[in-house]
Amino acid sequence: MIYKFFFKMINNEAEKTDHDFDSNYQNLINRYLLLLFFIFLFYSIVIIVFFRDVVISIFLTFLTLSFLFLLAIKGKIKRFRKPLKAFIISIFVLLTLIVSFFNVYTYKNAGVEYFYFCLLFAVPFFMNYNKDTYSIFFIVFIISINFIVCLYFDFTFLPKSSFLEKEDFKTIRLWNILFSIASFLMDVVFITQKDELIHGLIHEKEIKDSRIKDLVKTNAELMKQQMLINNLSEDNIQEILNLAENNSPVFFEKFQIFFPHFIPEILNINPNLIHSELFFCALMKLDFDTKKIAQCTNNSIRAVESKKYRIRKKLNISSEININSFLIKI
């Protein structure tokens, strides 16, 4: 029952994401947060069982629940990217302050300072070095300052544990060393898995880029064949391309002279196409991509994509088929 509940929490949001990388990355983060939840829960149980410090144990338990909260909302990364980024930074700051507090609380004799390094190793998992440079510098700065300040100042105004005896510190130090090593190994494993996802994404992009190049090459060859079928010279080809690129008012008329059968065949498929849509079809017949059509028609890329989508629907072209290739063949 418990296993099913956590499995659902880990996978529920990830299943709603279309992109494989986003889905897998969300899954990975959720597993990481779930492990943090169990580590902190176990730590709070150890404190109350062995050292009878109820207040600190309750405090850690509430902190543990924050990881469950993160686990519940982390899957909504696309809709709340900026707020979540700020929330993750605040979690790092909060954990750093908690480490500093426990370092002072245990008289700096319990090995709590090892957890500063665990926090540093966790940064690459949650942050992207290219996109989150300033956030990373900020987190590293906060952790470094806390480490240095706790090393040289006593903070006598902060409370100290009244439950710890001298002989307890060796045991606690051993526990903290073991926990910090476990956290470090966990960071290494998850960072490795994140790298594997990124490498997979890069490989996927390379395959898609290769396919696009092949498609562009095929479209160019098809267009040349269509030009030859219509007995167009190199000058005619250059003329029609120049008219299209300059958004000339005579382009559409000239296009219909050079491709007399194209517009009638398009209207045979759907006679409800309006003039602007036929104009876009003519540009796609010349293998103009979205960006080039936007430049030629003084439209935004979004407006062009919207128009192409409506044309695709009216001509009943499957989303798996490249619309330029479809029109070039007509």
Side-chain angles (χ1 to χ4, degrees):
M1 193 78 175
I2 296 173
Y3 172 78
K4 287 182 178 179
F5 170 73
F6 284 118
F7 183 81
K8 187 178 179 182
M9 288 190 72
I10 290 175
N11 293 284
N12 186 39
E13 290 293 344
E15 289 174 357
K16 297 177 184 178
T17 309
D18 294 330
H19 200 289
D20 286 341
F21 175 78
D22 286 338
S23 177
N24 291 331
Y25 185 41
Q26 286 173 23
N27 233 327
L28 195 60
I29 288 177
N30 286 342
R31 291 203 301 272
Y32 186 92
L33 292 172
L34 189 59
L35 276 173
L36 283 178
F37 166 77
F38 283 119
I39 286 174
F40 271 78
L41 184 62
F42 181 69
Y43 203 88
S44 61
I45 292 170
V46 167
I47 287 175
I48 196 168
V49 170
F50 290 97
F51 305 108
R52 314 294 182 192
D53 200 334
V54 179
V55 176
I56 294 301
S57 181
I58 291 172
F59 172 72
L60 276 178
T61 303
F62 275 110
L63 181 65
T64 299
L65 295 176
S66 71
F67 292 113
L68 278 186
F69 175 68
L70 260 181
L71 188 60
I73 67 170
K74 195 71 186 75
K76 300 175 179 62
I77 190 169
K78 279 195 168 182
R79 284 190 291 166
F80 306 110
R81 193 176 295 275
K82 287 185 179 178
L84 274 176
K85 182 180 172 182
F87 188 70
I88 288 170
I89 293 171
S90 65
I91 286 292
F92 268 102
V93 173
L94 175 63
L95 288 175
T96 304
L97 294 175
I98 289 168
V99 170
S100 299
F101 170 76
F102 275 101
N103 195 20
V104 174
Y105 184 76
T106 55
Y107 303 90
K108 301 182 186 179
N109 291 325
V112 178
E113 65 273 9
Y114 297 120
F115 287 98
Y116 287 119
F117 301 102
C118 297
L119 288 172
L120 283 173
F121 283 118
V123 172
F125 179 75
F126 284 95
M127 297 289 172
N128 184 307
Y129 283 117
N130 294 324
K131 296 179 181 178
D132 306 318
T133 308
Y134 293 110
S135 300
I136 291 171
F137 280 138
F138 175 73
I139 293 170
V140 171
F141 174 76
I142 292 294
I143 294 173
S144 303
I145 287 295
N146 272 265
F147 178 74
I148 294 168
V149 168
C150 284
L151 192 64
Y152 289 100
F153 294 91
D154 291 329
F155 294 100
T156 52
F157 59 91
L158 288 178
K160 306 290 190 298
S161 175
S162 56
F163 297 89
L164 297 175
E165 302 294 336
K166 245 185 179 181
E167 58 272 12
D168 292 332
F169 286 115
K170 284 185 180 180
T171 306
I172 297 173
R173 180 178 286 274
L174 177 61
W175 274 108
N176 283 334
I177 289 172
L178 292 174
F179 272 119
S180 60
I181 291 173
S183 299
F184 169 73
L185 292 175
M186 186 178 75
D187 290 337
V188 170
V189 169
F190 278 97
I191 290 169
T192 303
Q193 291 181 17
K194 180 185 175 183
D195 286 342
E196 287 175 359
L197 285 179
I198 292 171
H199 288 310
L201 183 65
I202 292 170
H203 180 64
E204 183 184 329
K205 184 178 181 299
E206 287 173 351
I207 292 172
K208 285 182 178 178
D209 288 344
S210 176
R211 286 176 181 170
I212 290 169
K213 285 179 182 177
D214 292 341
L215 191 59
V216 168
K217 187 178 178 181
T218 303
N219 283 352
E221 289 173 357
L222 285 170
M223 191 173 70
K224 284 180 181 179
Q225 290 174 11
Q226 288 287 316
M227 298 286 191
L228 291 171
I229 291 168
N230 292 338
N231 297 315
L232 297 179
S233 65
E234 289 291 335
D235 290 338
N236 294 143
I237 296 169
Q238 196 57 51
E239 179 187 358
I240 196 70
L241 290 174
N242 287 338
L243 290 172
E245 288 171 356
N246 295 322
N247 198 20
S248 171
V250 299
F251 159 71
F252 196 59
E253 294 176 13
K254 204 80 171 179
F255 175 86
Q256 292 181 81
I257 295 170
F258 289 163
F259 299 92
H261 304 293
F262 179 73
I263 299 300
E265 288 190 31
I266 289 292
L267 291 172
N268 276 339
I269 299 172
N270 189 334
N272 296 320
L273 286 165
I274 61 177
H275 180 271
S276 62
E277 291 169 341
L278 292 171
F279 186 87
F280 270 56
C281 286
L283 293 173
M284 287 186 281
K285 171 76 173 177
L286 299 176
D287 200 26
F288 281 25
D289 61 17
T290 301
K291 187 177 179 181
K292 198 167 185 179
I293 293 173
Q295 291 171 347
C296 295
T297 59
N298 296 319
N299 281 308
S300 67
I301 289 176
R302 180 172 290 183
V304 173
E305 287 174 344
S306 178
K307 180 81 75 174
K308 287 174 71 174
Y309 177 78
R310 287 197 295 271
I311 293 169
R312 185 185 286 275
K313 287 291 183 184
K314 286 187 176 183
L315 296 178
N316 197 26
I317 303 171
S318 168
S319 59
E320 297 174 358
I321 298 173
N322 181 275
I323 190 169
N324 283 22
S325 299
F326 179 87
L327 295 172
I328 287 171
K329 290 176 184 177
I330 295 175

